[in-house]
Amino acid sequence: MSRFRSVAAVSAAVAGCATLLTAGPAQAVGSVHLYKVYYDSPGSDLGGNASLDAEWVQLKNSTATSVSLKGWTLTDASNHRYTFPAVTLKAGAIVAVHTGKGTNNSAHLYQGRAAYVWNNDKDTATLRRSTGSVQSACSYNSTKVDYKVC
């Protein structure tokens, strides 16, 4: 009976290690996620394009492969929606989505808005896949800082 308990204990330990090994690689794969929200642009909020462009959200691709963001959306709690154009985020890359107008490139995308999106005190940024499923969300509730690392 003692030998039976030892075999059962070893079997349980092996099963537990297998579970841990299985969970590890899934986490190592990474994701495309909200990385930082700079919600209170410097200076007075007078609505000029430079001020609007100083309000942004960064996405980070922590996977080992490039990811197409075409059709993905970024929204705030008031449902201001930005739909990503045909853009690919390379492995390990970060892209900033600015509120104002500008020329899109691999590191900066522009919503083309003439008004602020992100509230200076509290809000929630939500990144959704083209299917509508939530990929990442980041909330903040502070006027003591101008940004939130997600």
Side-chain angles (χ1 to χ4, degrees):
M1 194 173 250
S2 170
R3 182 173 183 216
F4 178 75
R5 285 186 200 161
S6 295
V7 170
V10 168
S11 295
V14 168
C17 287
T19 300
L20 289 174
L21 292 174
T22 303
Q27 293 170 350
V29 169
S31 66
V32 173
H33 57 274
L34 296 167
Y35 182 64
K36 187 175 185 179
V37 180
Y38 202 105
Y39 53 86
D40 188 6
S41 59
S44 300
D45 290 343
L46 300 177
N49 194 61
S51 181
L52 291 167
D53 281 347
E55 178 183 85
W56 43 258
V57 175
Q58 286 182 327
L59 278 66
K60 182 173 185 176
N61 179 357
S62 62
T63 72
T65 60
S66 296
V67 176
S68 171
L69 299 178
K70 183 179 180 182
W72 289 39
T73 60
L74 175 64
T75 57
D76 71 339
S78 297
N79 205 31
H80 293 101
R81 181 180 311 274
Y82 171 73
T83 301
F84 287 84
V87 63
T88 299
L89 189 57
K90 293 183 179 182
I94 294 174
V95 64
V97 180
H98 301 270
T99 299
K101 298 174 177 116
T103 303
N104 290 343
N105 61 48
S106 62
H108 301 276
L109 299 173
Y110 298 86
Q111 295 188 45
R113 296 182 183 273
Y116 297 97
V117 171
W118 307 103
N119 296 329
N120 288 351
D121 55 352
K122 62 181 177 180
D123 211 335
T124 299
T126 304
L127 178 66
R128 288 185 173 82
R129 292 177 167 267
S130 58
T131 60
S133 63
V134 173
Q135 175 72 17
S136 179
C138 181
S139 296
Y140 59 87
N141 186 3
S142 176
T143 56
K144 294 181 182 180
V145 294
D146 299 330
Y147 63 90
K148 164 78 185 238
V149 176
C150 303

